Amino acid sequence: MATQNKNLSLFNKAEIPSAKGMRFGIVVANWNGEITNNLLTGAKSTLLECGASDKQITIIEVPGSFELVFGAKLLSKKKFDAIICLGSVIQGETKHFDFVCNAVSLGIKDLNIALGIPVIFGVLTDNTFEQAISRSGGKLGNKGIEAAITAIKMAHLNK
Ligand code: DLZ
């Protein structure tokens, strides 16, 4: 699972299927907004770079990562080829981290089973703020980019 010393966000556009004509929903959590804004920038710019148009990308915000599942379910009422969930959960002094991480990961898994479209898990689960910075446009890449590439690939698989 470790991405230490790897930057998985460096991608060759020629190897990614085109996102032209595809519709994407993005739900982004406001908690740790500095991090999630960077994830959003990475995801949106990657979809555009791969051929999606601005009009075909719908973005909604939710307060925290726990609410990502509800946000994705709301988006699923409209016609999207894939939905991307972006959040950042950072370990604190209490067990909140575990509850939020468990709820959002299992919730997104459940949506993948229940809905006919892919729902992508673009949620950082870090021990420290510095680790989150590294994975949202820092030295370990931007997981928003990787979430967007996964969304494009899964949308094609689902065609
Ligand atoms: C309450 C909380 C805490 C402590 N930490 C985070 C976090 O690191 N990342 C995140 O996205 N959200 C956090 N939240 C908020 C919860 O996700 C949720 O918004 C609240 O518990 C209300 O349901």
Side-chain angles (χ1 to χ4, degrees):
M1 281 284 193
T3 53
Q4 202 79 29
N5 303 323
K6 282 186 216 160
N7 186 342
L8 300 175
S9 308
L10 299 171
F11 67 97
N12 178 359
K13 207 176 112 185
E15 292 171 5
I16 311 296
S18 172
K20 194 170 180 207
M22 290 189 152
R23 300 185 62 196
F24 297 93
I26 302 179
V27 49
V28 57
N30 292 141
W31 199 281
N32 297 320
E34 186 185 335
I35 305 294
T36 60
N37 274 338
N38 288 343
L39 295 176
L40 178 60
T41 301
K44 190 175 174 190
S45 62
T46 302
L47 294 176
L48 294 174
E49 209 180 316
C50 290
S53 81
D54 207 29
K55 277 190 290 184
Q56 290 164 317
I57 301 171
T58 299
I59 299 166
I60 63 166
E61 297 181 13
V62 294
S65 291
F66 188 85
E67 286 75 39
L68 286 171
V69 176
F70 189 85
K73 198 175 162 200
L74 269 185
L75 282 178
S76 75
K77 292 177 182 160
K78 296 194 181 143
K79 209 172 174 324
F80 291 109
D81 293 290
I83 294 171
I84 300 170
C85 298
L86 300 174
S88 164
V89 196
I90 300 178
Q91 180 78 268
E93 290 175 3
T94 69
K95 290 186 177 167
H96 216 97
F97 178 86
D98 301 305
F99 286 112
V100 174
C101 291
N102 282 336
V104 68
S105 58
L106 292 178
I108 291 174
K109 180 266 292 175
D110 287 345
L111 290 179
N112 274 283
I113 295 169
L115 304 175
I117 54 164
V119 183
I120 310 304
F121 182 76
V123 182
L124 296 178
T125 58
D126 294 299
N127 292 323
T128 65
F129 188 73
E130 289 67 36
Q131 287 176 345
I133 291 279
S134 293
R135 290 160 177 78
S136 57
K139 62 182 182 217
L140 293 176
N142 185 328
K143 298 297 168 191
I145 295 175
E146 294 170 37
I149 292 171
T150 304
I152 297 167
K153 286 181 175 174
M154 291 304 294
H156 271 271
L157 190 64
N158 198 31
K159 286 269 172 223

